[in-house]
Amino acid sequence: MKVYYSSAALIIAWLAVLGCIQAVTLEVKEGNSTCIKAELSASFSVTYNTSSSTRTVQFPLPDSTTVDTASSSCGTEESSPWLVAVFGPGHALGLSFSTNGSLYSVANLTLQYNLSDTSTFPDANSSVVITVVSASVGISAMRNTTYHCVSPSTFAVGGATVTFSDMRLEAYMPGNELSPTESICMADPTSTTAPPTTAGTTTTAAPAPTPPGTPERGTYFVNNGNGTLCLMAQMGLQLNFTYFSRSQNKTVQELLNLTPNLTTSSGSCEASSASLVLTQGQITTLNFTFTLNSTSKKYHLSGITLLADMADATAPISASNSSLDYLRSTLGRSYMCNAEQTLAVVPSFSLNTFRLQVQPFQVTTDQFDTAEECQMDQDLMLIPIIVGAALAGLVLIVLIAYLIGRKRSHAGYQTI
């Protein structure tokens, strides 16, 4: 799932601010209790076929949008919470949610559009209702906090795109109102903006922290619904992020090692996607999303989400990117990299990995399949070979020079 921040999306955001695109409020209730609430503006871009060509239309989520109470749900132990909003003649927008206890996220984004709506889709050569679904859109927040993102965020969903702006959202709500504590998206510059300073004071960035040392290597597993092992990972993890310190009144950098014996693993496995969620206490949650291309039989790490609740931070730290391309390997093999890697996620957050090996698909036993090694490991293996070859060449040159010199000294003592 790729996230775009385009000029068109920025225009949409400004239209929302000016009131041209109305914000809507949507609530899912169970009795008198609210479990999901969203306040947002949204617009859609859909490409469809006409009798002679293709056409792309853009249309907003209207203020007449309502919650479909028959399809929406607060969820059960066996089913996920759903918010389904309906609008126009047969159009719908759906969001399903998942949680690991400390983090909640949008698990699926669904768009349904009715091509028989001639006012929205003029000259369409079909009158069918089309439903497109996308997973792992990167909208996540700590439990009991409100996800807040003013900046426009555009998500590709099948042959369409959905753009959210000025979004406030909370699932698994303990009360009927959105939490005043917010998890602000990384796209918003206010997420790292310093609070106002008094006259004569300045705010400066803190020096880089002292490295905490190489992190301990942990082993993590994910089982599917029937208890069968479906994902394995071994790695040492070090978080590198910045946040605004309340006590120091400035932006500071933090290096934090994940401690395996304090970390629990969970996740899910699907045919073309898999997730690994690591939770250290109730403070730090790290979510990895892997995507499989069924045509090329290649998989890669496509998304990383971090949520951290630092005691000295002005707000919970949230960082997410669902358009990454790391740890690429082949189906039926594991990916391995013993060298230290730095995975850049967003400007304020990167992840350092050590002695990493992972297999997110086609796991058949509790042992990794044949590994495809990263380029850094291959380069490290070449270094002793190159050094050995250079030394062998040097010895050969010395030997040849010695033989030539010896031959010349023998020639100088020939009998006349």
Side-chain angles (χ1 to χ4, degrees):
M1 171 61 57
K2 292 187 176 180
V3 184
Y4 310 90
Y5 302 107
S6 62
S7 57
L10 291 173
I11 293 172
I12 290 170
W14 277 110
L15 290 175
V17 171
L18 295 173
C20 300
I21 297 178
Q22 297 293 327
V24 298
T25 299
L26 306 167
E27 291 186 64
V28 178
K29 290 180 173 287
E30 191 173 73
N32 294 324
S33 300
T34 300
C35 58
I36 305 172
K37 187 172 183 178
E39 299 173 355
L40 55 88
S41 299
S43 65
F44 312 95
S45 176
V46 177
T47 300
Y48 65 98
N49 294 321
T50 66
S51 56
S52 58
S53 62
T54 60
R55 184 178 299 179
T56 300
V57 295
Q58 289 85 29
F59 54 97
L61 185 70
D63 56 6
S64 59
T65 300
T66 59
V67 172
D68 182 357
T69 55
S71 301
S72 300
S73 166
C74 290
T76 64
E77 291 184 0
E78 292 78 25
S79 63
S80 301
W82 270 94
L83 165 61
V84 180
V86 292
F87 57 99
H91 310 308
L93 175 68
L95 296 93
S96 73
F97 298 87
S98 62
T99 182
N100 65 354
S102 59
L103 162 78
Y104 70 88
S105 60
V106 175
N108 289 286
L109 174 62
T110 303
L111 175 63
Q112 175 183 292
Y113 53 94
N114 184 6
L115 292 177
S116 66
D117 176 10
T118 56
S119 62
T120 304
F121 304 101
D123 303 322
N125 66 354
S126 173
S127 58
V128 300
V129 175
I130 295 177
T131 301
V132 287
V133 182
S134 187
S136 302
V137 296
I139 297 176
S140 302
M142 299 293 288
R143 287 284 295 265
N144 301 327
T145 71
T146 298
Y147 175 84
H148 191 188
C149 198
V150 176
S151 301
S153 304
T154 301
F155 304 96
V157 187
T161 62
V162 179
T163 298
F164 294 113
S165 58
D166 199 12
M167 185 183 207
R168 299 180 76 235
L169 168 74
E170 186 176 0
Y172 304 95
M173 296 172 61
N176 291 333
E177 299 299 328
L178 292 172
S179 170
T181 304
E182 296 184 333
S183 294
I184 301 174
C185 70
M186 296 303 296
D188 283 357
T190 53
S191 63
T192 56
T193 299
T197 58
T198 57
T201 65
T202 59
T203 59
T204 58
T210 302
T214 302
E216 182 182 349
R217 191 187 198 201
T219 300
Y220 309 105
F221 300 102
V222 175
N223 296 321
N224 59 22
N226 61 13
T228 305
L229 181 65
C230 61
L231 183 152
M232 297 188 298
Q234 289 184 331
M235 52 191 169
L237 296 173
Q238 185 178 81
L239 314 179
N240 186 348
F241 55 92
T242 59
Y243 66 94
F244 195 86
S245 166
R246 182 186 296 107
S247 62
Q248 300 183 56
N249 197 36
K250 60 184 177 184
T251 299
V252 298
Q253 184 179 4
E254 182 78 18
L255 284 177
L256 178 67
N257 287 349
L258 218 60
T259 306
N261 62 0
L262 300 178
T263 301
T264 59
S265 62
S266 60
S268 62
C269 300
E270 305 295 339
S272 59
S273 66
S275 67
L276 170 64
V277 181
L278 302 179
T279 304
Q280 183 166 286
Q282 296 296 317
I283 299 174
T284 305
T285 299
L286 194 59
N287 191 333
F288 299 86
T289 300
F290 297 88
T291 301
L292 172 67
N293 185 318
S294 57
T295 303
S296 66
K297 305 298 182 184
K298 297 284 188 180
Y299 66 84
H300 67 283
L301 175 64
S302 58
I304 296 177
T305 297
L306 168 70
L307 284 175
D309 191 6
M310 306 298 292
D312 192 38
T314 55
I317 298 158
S318 173
S320 182
N321 191 334
S322 58
S323 57
L324 304 176
D325 189 8
Y326 296 127
L327 317 188
R328 182 171 287 274
S329 188
T330 305
L331 184 64
R333 292 174 176 249
S334 62
Y335 174 90
M336 184 170 70
C337 196
N338 286 311
E340 179 183 352
Q341 293 185 102
T342 297
L343 310 181
V345 181
V346 294
S348 61
F349 169 54
S350 62
L351 181 66
N352 302 327
T353 69
F354 302 79
R355 298 172 58 209
L356 178 146
Q357 188 168 10
V358 63
Q359 186 169 346
F361 298 101
Q362 217 171 80
V363 175
T364 56
T365 69
D366 59 356
Q367 301 295 318
F368 289 107
D369 286 324
T370 303
E372 292 187 358
E373 296 187 72
C374 65
Q375 189 62 49
M376 285 184 288
D377 280 3
Q378 295 177 30
D379 292 344
L380 289 173
M381 290 177 63
L382 285 175
I383 290 174
I385 296 174
I386 294 171
V387 171
L391 290 174
L394 181 60
V395 170
L396 183 60
I397 291 171
V398 171
L399 180 60
I400 292 172
Y402 168 74
L403 293 175
I404 293 174
R406 185 178 180 189
K407 184 177 180 181
R408 287 180 177 174
S409 65
H410 280 297
Y413 288 101
Q414 288 180 356
T415 304
I416 299 178

